Amino acid sequence: MGGGSWVLRINVLGPVQAVHDGTPVRLGPKLVELLSVLLVDPGATVSTARTIDLLWGDEAPTGARTTLRSHVSHLRRALPGAALVTVGAGYRLDVSPDALDAYRFERWCVEGRRLVAAGEPDLTERGVSMLADALALWRGPAFADVADRPWVLPRIAQLDAARRAARRGHAEALSTLGRHAEAVALLSGIVVDDPYDEGVRRLLALALYAERRVDEAAEVCREGLVLLRERGLDAPELAELQRDVLHRRVPSPRQPADHRKPVRPCLLPPDPPQFVGRSAELDQARRLLGAATVLVSGPAGVGKTQFTTRLAHAVRADFPDGQLYVNMRGFDPTGVPMTAAQALATFLDALGVAPERMPATVDAQAGLYRELLADRRVLVVLDNVREAEQMRPLLPGAPGCAAVVVSRNQMPGLVVAEGARPLRLDVLDRSESRELIVRRVGAARLAAEPAAVERIVEACGRLPLALAIVAARAATHPQFSLHALAGELHGLDAFAGTDADADVRAIFSCSYRNLEPAAARLFRLLAAHPGPDLTTAAAAGLAGAEPDQVRPALRELAAAHLVVEHTPGRYALHDLLRAYADELGRDDPDRSAATRRMVDHYLHSALAADALLWPHRDPLAAPPLADGVTPEVLADREAALAWFAAEHAVLLAASDRAVQAGLDGHVWRLAWAVTNFFARRAHWADWVRVGLAGIAAAAREGDRAAEAEAHRIVGGAYVRLREFDQARAHYARAMALFGTAGDLVGEGFTRRSLGWLCEQQGDVAGALRHDQRALELFRRAGHERGEANTLNSVGWCHALLGDHEQAILHCRQSLALLERLGDPVGMAGAWDSLGYAYRHHDHQQAISCYRRALTLYRQFGDRLNEGLTLRHLGETEQAAGDLDAARRSWREALDILTEVEHPDAERVRVLLDSSPP
């Protein structure tokens, strides 16, 4: 591959795209078309005349050859690392085959099919994984930008055929392994794309049958037979399969997949493409991994994370059941380290644990985590750990697993108590340091100025981070001599007093001094952000500018290695760079205002997201937006959930930063805004943390109403944690504060919360008393939404106590009021309560109510309550004597409850097994 050592990827499985060092290259439409011409037959030379014909046809402009040369020149400049070679009277794109996603796709498909065909379970698993990786390369239709050009159609057809074969082979292999649910999901998509493929329909029907979804399997066959007959085609095999399915006599049906089988996660960061050296340390680390825990330590900036990432990728085959990674943020100078509970929640989520199964305590979470890793081979990487206590619950404990702990500290306690094997990383040797620069700047440039290279290596103290920054500056400015760049590196100060051999402050200074003013200002202000990362919109809030105005500054900072775009649109700072930015901006008069803008951004974004999750919640008055702040724009409920999930750690850190900045009004409002998300995702400890901060902030501000609401918020978290005494104490304080303020609505919601607490403790009579008192308060206050939902709570309590007449009366009143208010969430709950009240004496009424509830739950995507209502519907249908209908409801319920890993799934499975068709 010519043109230097840049990392280049070219993608055609979707819109045509060139990606340079992880960043998409901006190409105009004509350059995309020219690149596509050269990629239809990779490595082939395309003549000038042929290129002109393909680009313009009969509409070739006057001077087309000159125009083409100009396009070629622009494309050469846009694609560093690719050699756009002139060959005679034509052009050839000379890139490594692995740089092309289409080549990798075809190669992985061949290898994946070979492994599957071997017939060995382990090889089949690897083949399935390889086929999945190959299919994941597709981002849309191949050559999407030029898919209407005749010259690309044969290549598109070839790739589409390979994709169809890969999808089918992937699904067949999944079924072979007994992973029928995954096969069903994949085959369902293929049938939608090609409804006339009889073979795919047979595979889907068999997978559905193996999952005990018999009616759906028969329907797949029936639909296929109708479509094929419309085309005048017979399908005797499909007709025979339909008969066998309907009579439950499919030969040798495979057992349904184990829905509780843990997934095989890979949370590793990408393998660093420009990693150099460390071969001896890598060999040593691989040997030490047999001791289960390896401690990688060394000074800041020495490359511990890159080394560990390379190591983890090198040993992936030794840990086929998954690789877990988390950044514990133990050395973030201005942020908050990740707790063991937060990391455990991340790992359990990656291992497929649904929120409903998430234990409340750290000890219980650690126990479930180790149970899931038992008898498996999983690698656990714990990066940036500050102290042993921060990560001890995360050590796997299972003999087949291993852990790599990364820290600046030596942590002797981990070595003594846990038997960890230490591995210290030092700075690079001179040869490795030169190689690091070569990888980024090219060998020819170094060969021309060897003395300057030695000066740079010496001045950087052979610290990888410092070397990378200087190399980035050299690569970004090819017109600068290395001698001149070396001359900038004089007068280095001590490296934060911890490493006399390396001083990165001056290296950072060299990059910082050459920034454009807007980028330099943004870099200084980034220290006001608590981390761990931020979006473009959040950066715009810091700067008090529009996002479009900030993007160029972020790109400039990324190009200078002063920030890292670790995922598209999210930027992070290395610990030392954040500290350096903090030094620079400490006396900046805009620092305080930037902090206010940053907290404003997260508060208003969180309020907007919460309104999408809970549209009928009473709105909260927010402080006015500071000038220049742009909250996130979220389209729907799914986007709101995704935003909360992405910003989870940032929101916690923003709450802490708001406390430090004295923004107490923001603190308690932020706690209010994030509570609903924390409740949905079972983040009980975080719920308590922000709630307690909200109580303290409201008290400092002297806002008794806000303090009362914050107590009620914390009480809810303690109920979920089943710490009932704590919950009752906070509810009591909330009641006292609301009572003093004469806030009837606040008292009403707190009474309803107390009713929920009593119900959770098994005191239904006590729950009814609190709900009845809440109803009185809401009526006195004229708060119709509170009245409507509390009527349902009162009805539910009556139903639990066996007073079905009163239950129906109150739930009907609730339903009428909720319908008038247009609250479908509340209406679904009321219909479900009515179903429960009717089921003991009027089965048909109960069935009708449950079905109304199901319709609403499905409309707003509440899968958990849909599954629970289906279970109750099935029980009512069984009581009414309609066993076939009951079994249909239970099968649907089982699918959903298994998907969310709810404990009721097993009860539904027992119902199905005890009532054979």
Side-chain angles (χ1 to χ4, degrees), residues 308 324-328 343 347 369 380-385 391-392 394-396 403-407:
T308 305
L324 299 171
Y325 171 93
V326 66
N327 181 356
M328 300 299 293
F347 283 177
Y369 167 67
V380 180
V381 179
L382 308 173
D383 198 2
N384 282 317
V385 176
M391 45 63 63
R392 274 203 172 92
L394 304 171
L395 294 176
V404 181
V405 180
V406 185
S407 179

Side-chain angles (χ1 to χ4, degrees), residues 532-533 535 570 639-651 677 681:
D533 57 7
T535 63
R570 297 194 74 87
L641 280 170
W643 182 83
F644 270 124
E647 302 293 351
H648 181 173
V650 182
L651 290 167
F677 169 72
R681 291 297 175 88

Side-chain angles (χ1 to χ4, degrees), residues 288-309:
L288 293 177
L289 276 174
T293 300
V294 176
L295 170 62
V296 178
S297 63
V302 81
K304 299 183 293 297
T305 295
Q306 283 211 342
F307 169 85
T308 305
T309 304

Side-chain angles (χ1 to χ4, degrees), residues 82-119:
L84 182 45
V85 182
T86 302
V87 182
Y91 302 98
R92 184 180 74 237
L93 192 62
D94 188 11
V95 296
S96 165
D98 264 325
L100 307 177
D101 63 348
Y103 174 86
R104 298 197 303 279
F105 167 73
E106 292 173 314
R107 180 166 61 81
W108 293 349
C109 285
V110 170
E111 179 63 10
R113 284 193 293 269
R114 184 188 68 78
L115 291 168
V116 168

Side-chain angles (χ1 to χ4, degrees), residues 296-645:
V296 178
S297 63
V302 81
K304 299 183 293 297
T305 295
Q306 283 211 342
F307 169 85
T308 305
T309 304
R310 168 56 59 91
L311 169 67
H313 280 278
V315 300
R316 278 186 64 181
D318 298 333
F319 299 93
D321 294 317
Q323 304 84 39
L324 299 171
Y325 171 93
V326 66
N327 181 356
M328 300 299 293
R329 304 196 304 273
F331 298 93
D332 187 335
T334 57
V336 179
M338 179 175 282
T339 64
Q342 292 169 319
L344 278 169
T346 299
F347 283 177
L348 291 172
D349 181 65
L351 289 165
V353 177
E356 292 76 20
R357 290 189 62 215
M358 195 73 71
T361 67
V362 174
D363 288 343
Q365 289 171 356
L368 176 58
Y369 167 67
R370 294 193 174 104
E371 177 186 334
L372 291 172
L373 296 189
D375 300 321
R376 305 183 77 206
R377 293 190 60 80
V378 174
L379 177 66
V380 180
V381 179
L382 308 173
D383 198 2
N384 282 317
V385 176
R386 188 178 188 90
E387 55 191 11
E389 292 305 317
Q390 188 188 14
M391 45 63 63
R392 274 203 172 92
L394 304 171
L395 294 176
C401 299
V404 181
V405 180
V406 185
S407 179
R408 292 185 201 173
N409 295 335
Q410 295 181 356
M411 291 200 293
L414 185 68
V415 176
V416 173
E418 309 293 340
R421 303 295 296 275
L423 190 157
R424 174 179 169 78
L425 290 187
D426 206 342
V427 295
L428 300 174
D429 63 29
R430 291 187 178 277
S431 175
E432 291 171 333
S433 298
R434 286 192 294 270
E435 178 63 19
L436 186 151
I437 301 174
V438 167
R439 291 286 185 91
R440 291 160 171 80
V441 201
R445 197 165 168 198
L446 268 70
E449 297 185 74
V453 174
E454 292 303 317
R455 290 173 59 199
I456 290 172
V457 170
E458 185 66 29
C460 291
R462 295 177 283 125
L463 189 72
L465 179 62
L467 289 163
I469 293 171
V470 176
R473 177 156 164 71
T476 306
H477 299 283
Q479 73 277 18
F480 291 179
S481 71
L482 297 180
H483 174 78
L485 292 173
E488 295 179 338
L489 304 178
H490 57 81
L492 304 178
D493 297 330
F495 174 47
T498 61
D499 190 343
D501 295 328
D503 175 6
V504 297
R505 186 182 289 107
I507 307 300
F508 296 158
S509 176
C510 292
S511 295
Y512 170 76
R513 288 200 307 267
N514 288 281
L515 294 173
E516 293 294 325
R521 174 176 177 266
L522 178 60
F523 180 70
R524 294 193 303 271
L525 293 178
L526 286 176
H529 189 280
D533 57 7
L534 78 167
T535 63
T536 302
L542 278 172
E546 294 294 325
D548 286 344
Q549 296 173 307
V550 169
R551 285 191 182 92
L554 283 170
R555 285 196 293 268
E556 185 178 352
L557 292 174
H561 287 220
L562 292 173
V563 299
V564 175
E565 190 177 11
H566 63 94
T567 58
R570 297 194 74 87
Y571 297 85
L573 277 77
H574 186 277
D575 301 350
L576 298 176
L577 286 163
R578 186 182 295 278
Y580 179 63
D582 184 55
E583 280 186 13
L584 293 172
R586 200 166 288 158
D587 298 324
D588 190 327
D590 195 29
R591 170 71 73 88
S592 177
T595 300
R596 164 63 190 264
R597 290 193 297 265
M598 178 270 297
V599 180
D600 262 7
H601 167 81
Y602 288 112
L603 173 59
H604 284 265
S605 298
L607 289 170
D610 183 67
L612 288 168
L613 297 185
W614 192 351
H616 295 281
R617 188 181 189 185
D618 286 350
L620 180 70
L625 271 175
D627 291 341
V629 177
T630 304
E632 299 285 351
V633 178
L634 304 168
D636 50 30
R637 173 180 172 274
E638 288 70 27
L641 280 170
W643 182 83
F644 270 124

Side-chain angles (χ1 to χ4, degrees), residues 167-248:
R167 292 172 77 187
R168 179 167 176 168
H170 186 205
E172 288 181 290
L174 286 169
S175 287
T176 299
L177 294 170
R179 294 160 61 180
H180 303 296
E182 295 170 69
V184 166
L186 184 57
L187 289 164
S188 298
I190 302 174
V191 166
V192 170
D193 293 341
D194 192 357
Y196 298 96
D197 189 325
E198 179 186 352
V200 171
R201 281 192 179 274
R202 283 178 52 78
L203 289 172
L204 176 56
L206 289 168
L208 286 165
Y209 188 90
E211 283 287 279
R212 301 183 182 179
R213 296 163 65 176
V214 178
D215 293 344
E216 293 173 66
E219 177 60 20
V220 166
C221 297
R222 187 201 65 77
E223 181 182 75
L225 290 169
V226 171
L227 290 173
L228 291 168
R229 285 167 186 161
E230 287 175 355
R231 288 193 166 190
L233 301 173
D234 290 326
E237 292 182 356
L238 191 61
E240 182 179 358
L241 177 60
Q242 182 190 28
R243 288 192 296 272
D244 289 341
V245 166
L246 289 172
H247 291 89
R248 273 67 170 179

